[in-house]
Amino acid sequence: EAGVTQFPSHSVIEKGQTVTLRCDPISGHDNLYWYRRVMGKEIKFLLHFVKESKQDESGMPNNRFLAERTGGTYSTLKVQPAELEDSGVYFCASSQDGRGLNEQFFGPGTRLTVL
Amino acid sequence: GNSVTQMEGPVTLSEEAFLTINCTYTATGYPSLFWYVQYPGEGLQLLLKATKADDKGSNKGFEATYRKETTSFHLEKGSVQVSDSAVYFCALRLDSNYQLIWGAGTKLIIKP
């Protein structure tokens, strides 16, 4: 069974440019989460999808970030325009059930560097 | 608010040494507690978990006991190996929610 995949693994862009990160969850997982780790600090929750609907986007830092999950399958996270403080590692995770102890399975992350 | 504090790294040990990585938490309600590990070049993997007070999670020789009285979930291993070198994250999740709340991570370096 394929795990959670993320693309690209690394992205280097200049301040003001746009970047789109992609996450493919494990097949059959309705729940998809985005997290990020900035500059060696703690990992922070960004948002949670249930199928194609945003269940909770309370962790999104500002309106420069836009997440979508078309058809309830893969998800994209767009940063436009990117700022220096957006640099970090963006993790995607998926789970079968949002509650209980259903494990969140993580992808390898996308390392974003904004110059 | 809800938060997780874990010891700063890097922690450097020799092979076969005893490992403790401290983790304490602040939470409303009764959280579930987790340790995740990130090996170099890989994603986050669940290492172990505990759902209620006095539960002990264990996996791959690692153990952690949910201590409600001290609000702690310290990670231990009796004899570490070079292959245990990784970044370890302590996290909690509330029953009323699904998002994970994370500590800052502790980098562990094991020297042969």
Side-chain angles (χ1 to χ4, degrees):
Chain A
E1 177 183 314
V4 177
T5 58
Q6 294 186 244
F7 182 84
S9 58
H10 194 180
S11 179
V12 181
I13 61 172
E14 294 189 350
K15 175 182 173 181
Q17 291 186 321
T18 298
V19 63
T20 300
L21 314 181
R22 173 169 170 148
C23 169
D24 286 77
I26 293 172
S27 178
H29 282 191
D30 288 340
N31 295 274
L32 187 149
Y33 314 82
W34 283 98
Y35 295 86
R36 74 171 179 176
R37 188 185 189 206
V38 175
M39 291 298 292
K41 295 185 178 180
E42 66 271 19
I43 300 169
K44 293 281 195 182
F45 167 81
L46 295 178
L47 85 159
H48 170 211
F49 283 99
V50 177
K51 297 183 179 179
E52 68 276 6
S53 299
K54 293 176 185 175
Q55 183 76 12
D56 180 359
E57 52 184 330
S58 62
M60 295 288 265
N62 52 61
N63 59 11
R64 295 186 293 104
F65 289 75
L66 175 64
E68 295 180 325
R69 191 181 183 193
T70 306
T73 54
Y74 71 90
S75 174
T76 58
L77 180 64
K78 180 190 290 187
V79 185
Q80 179 182 30
E83 299 289 345
L84 299 178
E85 63 264 26
D86 300 332
S87 296
V89 181
Y90 290 75
F91 292 102
C92 175
S94 70
S95 71
Q96 286 184 312
D97 187 341
R99 305 243 177 156
L101 278 186
N102 263 307
E103 180 181 346
Q104 293 184 22
F105 293 87
F106 283 80
T110 293
R111 181 173 294 278
L112 174 64
T113 303
V114 183
L115 303 176
Chain B
N2 303 304
S3 65
V4 175
T5 302
Q6 61 182 106
M7 61 192 295
E8 290 189 20
V11 173
T12 303
L13 297 171
S14 296
E15 206 166 18
E16 299 183 2
F18 184 88
L19 168 71
T20 300
I21 300 179
N22 290 336
C23 171
T24 57
Y25 67 90
T26 301
T28 54
Y30 303 94
S32 296
L33 302 174
F34 304 83
W35 277 101
Y36 279 80
V37 58
Q38 186 180 24
Y39 297 104
E42 299 184 13
L44 294 158
Q45 301 175 24
L46 178 64
L47 180 60
L48 54 83
K49 62 190 178 190
T51 60
K52 60 184 186 297
D54 299 325
D55 269 2
K56 177 185 285 188
S58 61
N59 186 24
K60 299 182 180 180
F62 290 89
E63 293 183 340
T65 300
Y66 189 141
R67 300 288 189 199
K68 187 178 177 183
E69 63 276 13
T70 54
T71 61
S72 65
F73 193 54
H74 304 320
L75 183 67
E76 297 181 335
K77 187 175 185 182
S79 177
V80 292
Q81 306 301 312
V82 172
S83 58
D84 294 326
S85 298
V87 181
Y88 292 80
F89 294 90
C90 185
L92 69 83
R93 188 173 67 196
L94 299 173
D95 284 347
S96 59
N97 209 327
Y98 36 77
Q99 60 175 272
L100 290 163
I101 298 169
W102 302 81
T106 302
K107 184 174 184 178
L108 176 65
I109 301 170
I110 306 300
K111 295 186 174 180

